């Protein structure tokens, strides 16, 4: 059985701290990505504004496009 007595070395502590910081950062980024995607999917529908005012619909029917 592998056992260790005492505290880890300074290099081990720094390495573990960097790994833990990276893991927490990835977790926070994932939570933010899921929340923003959910907001985009289930948020308010975008308003599509048409720049046509006071024009007959027949004028739109004759457009070349």
């Amino acid at each position: 059985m592998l056992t260790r007595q005492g505290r880890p070395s300074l290099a081990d502590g720094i390495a573990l701290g960097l790994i833990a910081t990276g893991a927490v950062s990835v977790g926070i980024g994932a939570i933010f990505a899921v929340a923003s995607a959910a907001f985009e999917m289930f948020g308010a529908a975008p308003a599509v504004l048409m720049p046509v005012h006071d024009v007959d619909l027949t004028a739109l029917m004759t457009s070349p496009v």
Side-chain angles (χ1 to χ4, degrees):
M1 180 187 310
L2 297 174
T3 60
R4 180 175 173 102
Q5 304 239 344
R7 297 176 54 172
S9 68
L10 180 62
D12 288 341
I14 291 173
L16 289 174
L18 287 174
I19 291 170
T21 302
V24 169
S25 299
V26 168
I28 290 171
I31 290 171
F32 179 75
V34 167
S36 64
F39 179 74
E40 286 291 324
M41 290 176 65
F42 302 114
V48 179
L49 303 175
M50 299 295 290
V52 178
H53 301 287
D54 303 325
V55 176
D56 288 338
L57 291 179
T58 57
L60 295 175
M61 295 294 201
T62 60
S63 80
V65 177

